Amino acid sequence: MEQQTPVSLTEEELKAQELLGEKEADSKLRIYTGPLGQTITILFLVWATFQVYANTLGMVDAMSLRTWHLFFLLGFTFLLFPTFTKEKRKRALPPIWDIALLATTMFVFAYLLKNYTEIAKRGGYLLTGDLIVAGITLVLLFEGGRRASKNLAVLGLVFLLYNFLGMLIPGELGHVGFSLKRVLNHMIWGSQGIFGVGIGVSATYIFLFVLFGSYLKYSGFSQFINDIALTMVGRSAGGPAKVAVLASALLGMINGSAIANVATTGTITIPMMKKTGYKKEFAAAVEAVASTGGQFAPPIMGAVGFVMAEFMGVSYTTVLLAACIPAFLYYLTLLFAVHFEAKRLGLSGLSKENIPQALEVLKKQGHLMIPLVVLLVMLSLGYTPLFAAVVSIFATVAASWLRKETRMTWSTIIKATVEGSRSAITVGMSCAIIGVIIGTVSLTGLGLSFGYIVLRIVGEGQLYLGGLMVMIMSIVLGMGVPGVAAYVIVSTVSVPVLIQAGAIPMAAHMFCLIYACLSNITPPVAMSSYVASGIANSDQTKTSLIAVKLGLTGFVLPFFFLDNPILLLGTVADIPLMLTLRAIATSSIGVIALSAGLQGYLFRKLHTIEKILLIVSGLLFIETKMITDLIALAVFGSITVIQFMQKRSLIGEKI
C-alpha cells in the first residue's frame, strides 16, 4: 500500500515533518510501491492481531511473547528503516543486504524459539551453536538499534563493552571482566538481558497503548481535544497559548512521544500563538513544555505509569493518584505563565466567531470520550491494564459509530492499526537495547557500585545532594530517548540510590520519571524544543532556555516531594485530609507566585525586588510546612495588595 504525502500540507507541517525526520527515525521510513507495500500492511495487521491475542486470550508464555515481539521489531526495522540517512526512500524492494539480514533474523529467531526451553532443561549449558546464534542476535540487535535509535544504541554498546573491559577501570566501578561466553549467555539466553524487562514492557504495555492512541487519533479525538480547549480558554488573554497547553497535555499523555506531539499539535498552535502576538521563541517554548509534560500526566501518562506500577508491584491507580498533583502543578504553572505573559504584552484572546460553541462540540464529538471513560472504569474495577487497553481499543471503534461524521470505516481501522504498529517500532527497539544496559547492570553489579559511590560522596542521609546527582544523571540518560525507555534506563540505576539515601519508593520512581522526561526541554539536546523552534523559525538556544523557565516547576517540585511525599497522593498512610488539602492549595498558590515572578507580571509589571520575593514565596509555598506557608503568605499577600492598589490607582488616573 503506497503512502503519499498530501499536497495540502502547510509550510509549518512540511517543516515539522523535516525536523521530525532529523530527530525521530520512524518519521523517515522507506515507502514501498507495488505488492511489497501491500504485504507490509498485511504483516502489520498480523503483528497487531498477535499482540492483542497474546496479551488477552492467548496462552503464550512471557519468553515466547518477548521473542516473537523482538522478531517482528527487527523484521520491520530492516524492512522500513533506511541503512543510510541519504538512502532512496521510495523503492519496490529492500536492498540486497537487508534481504540477507531478514533471512538471518528469521533463522536466528526460529532457533531461539525452538531451543530456549531445551537449554533451560539442560541447566543452561550452552553448545557452540547456541553461542554463535547468541552472537549473531546481538549483532542484529545493534544494527537495528543503530537505525531506529542511534544515540541509545551507542550507549548500549558502551555498556556492552564495559562487561569486557571492567578490569581496565580503576576504583569501585572496575571489575574482573567477563568472558564472551558468560556475556552471551546472560544477554541472550538469560532472563535479565535483551529478553528481560525492557522488551517485556514493549511487548505488553507500550504496544497496546500506542495502538490505543492511534485508534483515538483516527476516531477524531485530537480534533475534539482542540475544539474543547478552544471553548474553555480560547477567549481569555493569550487564549491560543492556553489552548496549546491543554491540547498538548491531553494528546501528549496518550501518544507518549513529546517530539511527535510537538510536530503534530505545534503546526497548529505555534502559528496561532505568533499571530496573537507572542514572540516566536516563547510560542515554541510553550508547545515544547506542554508536550513534554504529557508523559507524566494522568490518566494514561504515555503508558509509562503502567510500567512504573509493574516495576513497583503496585496497582496502576496508586501510580495515577501519586502523579496527579505534580502534573497538575506543572500545567498550572504553564497556564499562568502564558496568562501573565499575555497580560504583560497586552495580548487578547481569540474573537468570538473563532470559538466553537461548547454544547455544540460536546453534542457532535463528546462521544469520543467514551474510550477513556471505559479505560478508567475498568482500571478502577481491578481489570489489568492490558485487558482494559484492548477493550478500550474496541470501544473507540464502537464510539466512533455513534455519529456518522466520526465513523471509523474498515479503511480507517486498517490505517490506525498500521500507524499504531509502526509507531511502536522505535520505542520497542529502544527497549531491546535497554535490555543490554539492564543486563550489564545486573551482571557487573554496576548499580550497587554506583549507589555506593554516590552515597560515599554525598554522605549517608543526604537526600537532596543524592537527588541532585540523580537529577543530572536522569536528564543526561534521558536525552534523545523516548519517555518510557528513558524511565526504564534511569530507574534501573537511579532508584536504588535514592531509596538508599532515604526516599520512599514512589517518590524515588516519580523523581526519576519527571527528570527523564524533562530532558526533552533541557539544553544542550532539548529535542522537543529543537522541533518546536524549527516550526516557529526561532532561535533554538533561546527557545530551550525559555522552555526551562516555563517548566521550572517540573525541575524543582521533585525535590520537595522527595523528602515530604505528601504531594504524592496516597503514598503516605494516615495523612489527615485537611493537611493534604492545605498542601494542594498552598502549592497551587506557590506555582502561581512562581509564574508571576518569572514572567515579571502580576496585576502590573513587577520591579526586580518584587520578582525575587514572588519567586522565593512560591518556593516556600511548595514546601508543605506551616511556618514556610505563613511566611510565603505574608510576602505574597503584601505584594498582591500593593500591586492591586497600584493598578487601581493607575486606572483611576486614566479615568
Side-chain angles (χ1 to χ4, degrees):
M1 187 175 291
E2 182 177 345
Q3 297 174 333
Q4 294 181 345
T5 303
V7 294
S8 58
L9 287 179
T10 65
E11 182 183 345
E12 287 80 9
E13 288 170 330
L14 288 169
K15 191 174 295 181
Q17 285 190 359
E18 182 182 343
L19 291 165
L20 202 59
E22 292 178 21
K23 293 297 178 182
E24 286 209 332
D26 60 358
S27 62
K28 207 169 185 179
L29 304 180
R30 292 170 179 157
I31 300 173
Y32 288 102
T33 57
L36 184 56
Q38 297 172 354
T39 303
I40 290 173
T41 298
I42 294 170
L43 288 174
F44 272 127
L45 297 176
V46 170
W47 185 27
T49 303
F50 167 75
Q51 292 286 160
V52 169
Y53 170 76
N55 280 294
T56 50
L57 304 175
M59 300 295 291
V60 182
D61 64 89
M63 196 55 65
S64 295
L65 172 60
R66 295 172 184 184
T67 306
W68 275 108
H69 183 71
L70 185 54
F71 166 70
F72 277 109
L73 285 173
L74 283 171
F76 283 119
T77 299
F78 295 139
L79 270 174
L80 298 174
F81 286 73
T83 312
F84 310 106
T85 307
K86 295 183 179 180
E87 179 187 305
K88 182 182 177 183
R89 291 177 61 207
K90 198 170 184 179
R91 57 196 315 136
L93 292 171
I96 187 67
W97 55 83
D98 278 342
I99 294 174
L101 287 173
L102 286 166
T104 306
T105 301
M106 286 188 280
F107 166 76
V108 163
F109 278 82
Y111 189 96
L112 291 170
L113 286 165
K114 180 178 181 296
N115 290 281
Y116 186 84
T117 305
E118 184 180 328
I119 291 173
K121 286 179 180 177
R122 60 176 187 246
Y125 178 75
L126 299 180
L127 303 175
T128 303
D130 303 328
L131 293 172
I132 292 173
V133 166
I136 295 172
T137 304
L138 266 184
V139 173
L140 292 171
L141 176 66
F142 276 99
E143 171 56 17
R146 181 189 68 81
R147 300 186 190 194
S149 185
K150 185 176 180 179
N151 293 341
L152 190 56
V154 172
L155 181 63
L157 184 60
V158 171
F159 272 79
L160 181 64
L161 293 174
Y162 176 72
N163 290 286
F164 304 108
L165 305 177
M167 77 288 291
L168 302 178
I169 301 174
E172 288 87 351
L173 291 179
H175 59 83
V176 295
F178 296 92
S179 66
L180 179 61
K181 180 178 180 180
R182 178 79 180 276
V183 172
L184 290 175
N185 187 6
H186 188 79
M187 293 295 175
I188 307 300
W189 295 108
S191 59
Q192 296 185 54
I194 68 168
F195 294 110
V197 64
I199 202 69
V201 164
S202 175
T204 51
Y205 299 106
I206 293 176
F207 187 92
L208 291 181
F209 279 94
V210 168
L211 188 64
F212 175 47
S214 180
Y215 269 72
L216 281 177
K217 172 186 172 181
Y218 277 88
S219 73
F221 183 77
S222 303
Q223 186 60 49
F224 167 65
I225 291 300
N226 278 320
D227 289 345
I228 203 68
L230 277 170
T231 65
M232 292 170 64
V233 295
R235 295 193 65 189
S236 62
K242 294 173 184 174
V243 170
V245 172
L246 294 178
S248 298
L250 292 168
L251 295 174
M253 72 179 180
I254 293 169
N255 65 28
S257 172
I259 303 169
N261 199 26
V262 169
T264 50
T265 59
T267 55
I268 301 170
T269 58
I270 290 174
M272 200 159 52
M273 283 188 274
K274 288 169 64 178
K275 188 176 180 181
T276 304
Y278 284 107
K279 292 181 179 178
K280 54 189 178 181
E281 284 83 10
F282 188 87
V286 167
E287 179 58 45
V289 175
S291 294
T292 296
Q295 295 174 98
F296 53 85
I300 297 180
M301 300 174 67
V304 72
F306 303 104
V307 179
M308 186 185 293
E310 181 83 6
F311 282 7
M312 296 182 65
V314 300
S315 68
Y316 175 66
T317 51
T318 302
V319 175
L320 184 149
L321 279 173
C324 281
I325 296 179
F328 169 73
L329 294 177
Y330 180 86
Y331 281 106
L332 187 66
T333 306
L334 190 52
L335 280 171
F336 272 92
V338 299
H339 176 77
F340 290 136
E341 181 70 5
K343 287 290 188 181
R344 190 179 70 84
L345 297 174
L347 307 181
S348 59
L350 296 171
S351 57
K352 186 177 180 180
E353 55 267 22
N354 291 324
I355 306 294
Q357 292 292 323
L359 289 177
E360 193 69 18
V361 171
L362 290 173
K363 180 182 176 182
K364 290 184 176 180
Q365 303 174 63
H367 60 287
L368 298 176
M369 286 290 291
I370 291 175
L372 281 181
V373 175
V374 169
L375 177 68
L376 293 176
V377 169
M378 292 192 69
L379 290 172
S380 64
L381 292 176
Y383 289 95
T384 66
L386 299 177
F387 185 70
V390 172
V391 172
S392 299
I393 289 171
F394 286 102
T396 304
V397 178
S400 74
W401 276 66
L402 293 177
R403 290 190 69 88
K404 184 179 179 181
E405 296 84 0
T406 59
R407 192 168 295 167
M408 293 179 72
T409 62
W410 280 112
S411 174
T412 308
I413 292 171
I414 290 172
K415 287 179 182 177
T417 306
V418 170
E419 183 172 315
S421 303
R422 189 171 56 223
S423 299
I425 297 174
T426 297
V427 183
M429 286 304 302
S430 298
C431 288
I433 294 291
I434 286 169
V436 175
I437 297 173
I438 295 175
T440 299
V441 170
S442 62
L443 181 61
T444 63
L446 179 61
L448 293 174
S449 301
F450 177 77
Y452 172 75
I453 292 171
V454 171
L455 292 175
R456 194 185 64 185
I457 293 172
V458 303
E460 289 288 341
Q462 297 296 319
L463 187 55
Y464 292 121
L465 285 175
L468 181 62
M469 293 190 69
V470 168
M471 177 196 78
I472 295 169
M473 185 173 64
S474 299
I475 291 174
V476 171
L477 290 177
M479 286 180 176
V481 181
V484 181
Y487 164 71
V488 173
I489 299 173
V490 170
S491 63
T492 303
V493 181
S494 303
V495 166
V497 175
L498 291 175
I499 293 175
Q500 288 178 59
I504 65 170
M506 181 62 78
H509 279 270
M510 199 65 69
F511 186 95
C512 293
L513 167 63
I514 291 175
Y515 283 119
C517 293
L518 291 177
S519 64
N520 278 294
I521 58 170
T522 308
V525 179
M527 295 178 74
S528 293
S529 297
Y530 175 82
V531 174
S533 68
I535 297 171
N537 283 321
S538 64
D539 182 87
Q540 183 185 347
T541 303
K542 288 182 181 178
T543 300
S544 298
L545 293 175
I546 294 172
V548 170
K549 185 176 78 169
L550 292 175
L552 189 62
T553 296
F555 286 96
V556 301
L557 184 62
F559 282 94
F560 287 98
F561 67 62
L562 197 60
D563 186 44
N564 188 3
I566 190 174
L567 293 173
L568 302 177
L569 290 177
T571 58
V572 182
D574 302 323
I575 293 292
L577 177 61
M578 291 305 297
L579 185 59
T580 302
L581 293 176
R582 195 199 88 205
I584 296 172
T586 55
S587 298
S588 299
I589 299 171
V591 298
I592 294 171
L594 199 61
S595 298
L598 291 170
Q599 297 310 126
Y601 191 97
L602 187 57
F603 291 108
R604 62 167 184 79
K605 290 184 179 180
L606 296 165
H607 299 300
T608 302
I609 187 64
E610 290 175 320
K611 294 178 187 177
I612 294 170
L613 288 173
L614 279 177
I615 292 171
V616 171
S617 67
L619 295 174
L620 290 174
F621 266 129
I622 298 173
E623 172 59 65
T624 56
K625 294 183 176 65
M626 178 63 78
I627 183 65
T628 56
D629 286 348
L630 291 174
I631 296 171
L633 186 61
V635 175
F636 180 69
S638 300
I639 295 176
T640 302
V641 170
I642 292 170
Q643 282 261 306
F644 184 71
M645 295 301 293
Q646 288 177 339
K647 183 173 183 180
R648 286 194 63 180
S649 66
L650 286 172
I651 294 173
E653 289 174 8
K654 289 179 181 179
I655 293 174

